[in-house]
Amino acid sequence: MMLRLEKATLGKFGAQDMMSLIMSRGWEAILPDALDDKQLLLVSDQFRDLLSGVSWNGEHDPTRAALPLALLLLSKAGAKRSGDNFEVGMETLQEALCLLSTAVDREIVNRMLQRQDATPIGTGLIQGLQLLVQHAMEQANSACHT
């Protein structure tokens, strides 16, 4: 095996850690290209769990930042809020998780290969999420008018 990492040495990256980053450096601090190596690897692992259904147990797990991170970035991309809730369909959330997982993994590979994309990964991610939210809102509106 070429690349190997001992997960136990990484520690944790949870919702509280994510909030600390946001409080000290603003919401952009949770974009993939702003996270440090350990945070990036932990969040990649968490997205894999979410996408495979491992942690859809419905309980809020404070040791995991992936879902709150996805919801926060969706809100920054224009997802509507009603009170304390987001109006995001499961399909949109699933697509957002895929986009986020891909962006995080891309950032990991870029760091390993010492490469950079023409468009910073965080910028491309927000643009992708904006398109996703826009498309979901258009679908919802056209469904209301039929």
Side-chain angles (χ1 to χ4, degrees):
M1 190 171 278
M2 194 173 100
L3 301 168
R4 179 172 273 157
L5 175 74
E6 195 54 54
K7 271 198 331 190
T9 64
L10 286 176
K12 301 249 182 264
F13 184 57
Q16 206 56 53
D17 304 305
M18 188 185 86
M19 288 314 293
S20 297
L21 279 178
I22 294 167
M23 298 303 268
S24 62
R25 303 201 326 252
W27 70 267
E28 292 91 346
I30 61 167
L31 290 170
D33 37 358
L35 295 173
D36 71 28
D37 293 351
K38 281 185 175 184
Q39 294 163 338
L40 196 62
L41 292 166
L42 286 164
V43 102
S44 171
D45 193 45
Q46 292 173 18
F47 279 126
R48 285 169 195 277
D49 282 351
L50 275 174
L51 288 165
S52 66
V54 168
S55 58
W56 279 115
N57 58 8
E59 291 172 33
H60 174 65
D61 183 349
T63 63
R64 302 183 147 265
L67 195 54
L69 189 148
L71 293 171
L72 182 84
L73 290 180
L74 274 168
S75 80
K76 292 297 174 189
K80 284 215 167 54
R81 293 182 76 115
S82 61
D84 290 338
N85 299 318
F86 281 104
E87 292 181 20
V88 176
M90 282 305 279
E91 193 178 312
T92 304
L93 181 58
Q94 181 80 16
E95 289 173 6
L97 290 172
C98 287
L99 262 180
L100 278 154
S101 182
T102 302
V104 164
D105 290 353
R106 188 175 180 89
E107 178 64 21
I108 290 169
V109 173
N110 279 359
R111 288 182 192 185
M112 290 174 72
L113 298 176
Q114 296 176 10
R115 294 181 56 133
Q116 271 196 316
D117 292 355
T119 303
I121 285 185
T123 307
L125 174 61
I126 289 295
Q127 289 168 348
L129 290 172
Q130 285 170 336
L131 286 171
L132 196 62
V133 167
Q134 210 175 335
H135 178 71
M137 286 172 14
E138 285 165 7
Q139 296 290 97
N141 287 341
S142 68
C144 289
H145 298 303
T146 52

